[in-house]
Amino acid sequence: MYLKTDIIAKINGLQEYCNQNKDPNVSGNFENFMLPLETTVNTYFASVPNGLAETFVKYITQIFMDLQKRHTTYENQFGSQPSTNYPQGYLDLGEIFGNGAFNELMNISGSEFLAGFPKVRDTTTSESGTETQLETYHYETNPIIEQWITQIENAHGSENTKIENIINFCERNTYNDGMISMFEDRGNITINITKEELAHDIYITKGAKIVIQNFNLNVYIPSYI
C-alpha cells in the first residue's frame, strides 16, 4: 500500500516526464490528460467505505493472533501447521486497496507510460466537408489512464469483503489452535515472537499503518511504529 501523497507525487512525476520527453513534433496537453486521474485518486481517499474502521480493528486483532500462533512453538507439538493458502491481501494490503491500480501506477516507468499515448495524425475539414490529413500529429489520452480510473472508481465496493476474507481465514486457524490448547499439554514455549515484531509485520510489512493514515481511520497505531 502506498501513501496518497506518494501516489499524487508519482502522477505529477509521470506528467513531468511526458512534458520533457514527448516528441517535439507532436502536440498534446498532458496536464489535461492527467487531471481526471488525480481527481479520481483524491475522491477515492476522501470516500471512506462504510464500516472500514470497525472492520480494520477486527482485521488487526485477528491477524495478530494468527501470526502469533504461526511463530510460536511448544515442547510438545500437536496438530498440523496453519494453512498457507493465504487470501488476497494477507501478505500485502496493497493487493486489496485500489483494485491493483496503485501498484501498477507506482511501478510503471516514465518511458513505458509515455509510450502508451497514441499519436494521431491531424486532419482539416474543407467547407465541403472533405477531410484532409496533415503532416502534423497530436497525442490522445492514454488508455492506461482510463483503465486505472475504472479500477479505482470500482475499488471501494469490494474492499471490506476482501478484508473480511482475511479475518475469516485467521479465525479458522486461531480456533483450531485454541482447541489444541484446550485439550493438550503443550509444555513450555520454545520459540515466540515479540509484540514489536508482530506490530512491524502488521503495520509496516503488510501496510496497515498506511491504510489507517490514508483514510484517517480511528484505529490504534502502536507508539513505537
Side-chain angles (χ1 to χ4, degrees):
M1 187 62 174
Y2 299 93
L3 282 170
K4 172 191 169 183
T5 52
D6 292 335
I7 295 170
I8 296 298
K10 179 60 183 280
I11 292 173
N12 293 334
L14 290 173
Q15 177 180 305
E16 183 63 23
Y17 180 92
C18 291
N19 283 329
Q20 293 181 357
N21 294 276
K22 71 181 183 68
D23 190 323
N25 299 318
V26 183
S27 63
N29 190 321
F30 290 102
E31 288 79 4
N32 286 347
F33 293 146
M34 302 299 280
L35 182 59
L37 177 59
E38 185 169 346
T39 299
T40 299
V41 170
N42 283 322
T43 300
Y44 170 86
F45 285 111
S47 307
V48 182
N50 291 333
L52 179 60
E54 292 78 7
T55 302
F56 217 63
V57 168
K58 290 194 296 182
Y59 157 79
I60 291 175
T61 302
Q62 289 300 327
I63 205 163
F64 177 96
M65 291 189 290
D66 179 79
L67 289 169
Q68 189 177 52
K69 300 301 182 185
R70 289 176 187 276
H71 292 87
T72 302
T73 60
Y74 300 86
E75 290 176 321
N76 305 316
Q77 290 292 108
F78 295 92
S80 59
Q81 294 297 312
S83 172
T84 55
N85 186 25
Y86 303 122
Q88 183 183 19
Y90 178 94
L91 298 174
D92 177 10
L93 286 166
E95 296 176 0
I96 290 178
F97 290 92
N99 255 343
F102 299 136
N103 284 342
E104 295 171 16
L105 190 159
M106 295 298 290
N107 287 289
I108 197 169
S109 67
S111 58
E112 182 183 358
F113 183 69
L114 177 57
F117 285 92
K119 289 185 282 189
V120 180
R121 178 174 286 186
D122 293 324
T123 60
T124 184
T125 305
S126 67
E127 291 182 2
S128 64
T130 303
E131 282 193 351
T132 301
Q133 288 192 328
L134 306 176
E135 292 303 318
T136 58
Y137 293 80
H138 67 275
Y139 286 106
E140 292 192 345
T141 189
N142 194 329
I144 299 174
I145 294 176
E146 297 174 344
Q147 175 185 318
W148 287 339
I149 288 174
T150 300
Q151 288 174 261
I152 296 167
E153 287 179 339
N154 295 321
H156 279 330
S158 61
E159 287 165 353
N160 261 1
T161 299
K162 292 175 181 178
I163 297 173
E164 289 284 359
N165 289 340
I166 300 174
I167 292 170
N168 294 334
F169 171 81
C170 293
E171 283 184 336
R172 288 193 297 271
N173 288 329
T174 301
Y175 288 148
N176 187 59
D177 186 83
M179 291 181 67
I180 295 173
S181 295
M182 287 166 58
F183 295 107
E184 303 290 353
D185 178 10
R186 289 179 144 178
N188 295 321
I189 292 174
T190 55
I191 297 176
N192 200 3
I193 185 171
T194 67
K195 289 183 178 180
E196 290 77 13
E197 290 171 322
L198 284 165
H200 187 275
D201 191 352
I202 295 169
Y203 285 88
I204 304 302
T205 304
K206 299 185 187 304
K209 181 179 180 180
I210 291 180
V211 174
I212 295 168
Q213 292 173 327
N214 277 339
F215 294 105
N216 195 29
L217 301 179
N218 184 23
V219 177
Y220 182 71
I221 297 176
S223 58
Y224 45 86
I225 293 296

